[in-house]
Amino acid sequence: TAGPGTYKIPTANDIPLEFNVTLLHNAPNPRAVASSKAVGEPPFLLANSVFFAIKDAVVATRAAQGLNVDFTLDSPATPERVRMACDGALVKPFYDSDECYRAKLTC
């Protein structure tokens, strides 16, 4: 690809009908950093763990307040969205907690 902005992560639809794989045993890679073989997708996947850790923290906060733990948290998890998802007395003046809070995205 021309750069990270044009790279598309492969999906199940990108796998050919016949896909034969062989592994190289004891094949050194002198140009790799710390003998790494790939560096593409792991940063993307690790970013997901941060989002879901934030969501789990919001679930714990809502449960501690006796609130419903089913809620929507859109990505990116901005401080404002996280705070509104936590609910509580601080956010009551801004919206009715019986309704689902969804931040309006600006472009």
Side-chain angles (χ1 to χ4, degrees):
T1 62
T6 59
Y7 176 72
K8 303 297 181 216
I9 297 174
T11 65
N13 293 333
D14 297 321
I15 299 173
L17 294 176
E18 185 174 337
F19 189 59
N20 300 322
V21 177
T22 59
L23 301 177
L24 300 174
H25 297 288
N26 299 322
N29 187 358
R31 296 185 185 151
V33 176
S35 300
S36 65
K37 303 285 189 283
V39 293
E41 286 84 3
F44 292 112
L45 299 177
L46 291 175
N48 289 333
S49 64
V50 173
F51 177 79
F52 288 110
I54 291 170
K55 193 164 183 178
D56 285 347
V58 173
V59 166
T61 300
R62 293 176 66 92
Q65 297 179 70
L67 300 171
N68 186 355
V69 295
D70 294 327
F71 66 97
T72 300
L73 180 62
D74 293 327
S75 182
T78 62
E80 294 82 8
R81 289 180 181 168
V82 171
R83 184 63 192 109
M84 294 301 278
C86 288
D87 208 339
L90 185 63
V91 299
K92 293 289 184 205
F94 301 105
Y95 81 107
D96 182 6
S97 62
D98 295 334
E99 298 175 12
C100 177
Y101 171 75
R102 298 293 294 268
K104 293 182 180 175
L105 299 176
T106 58
C107 296

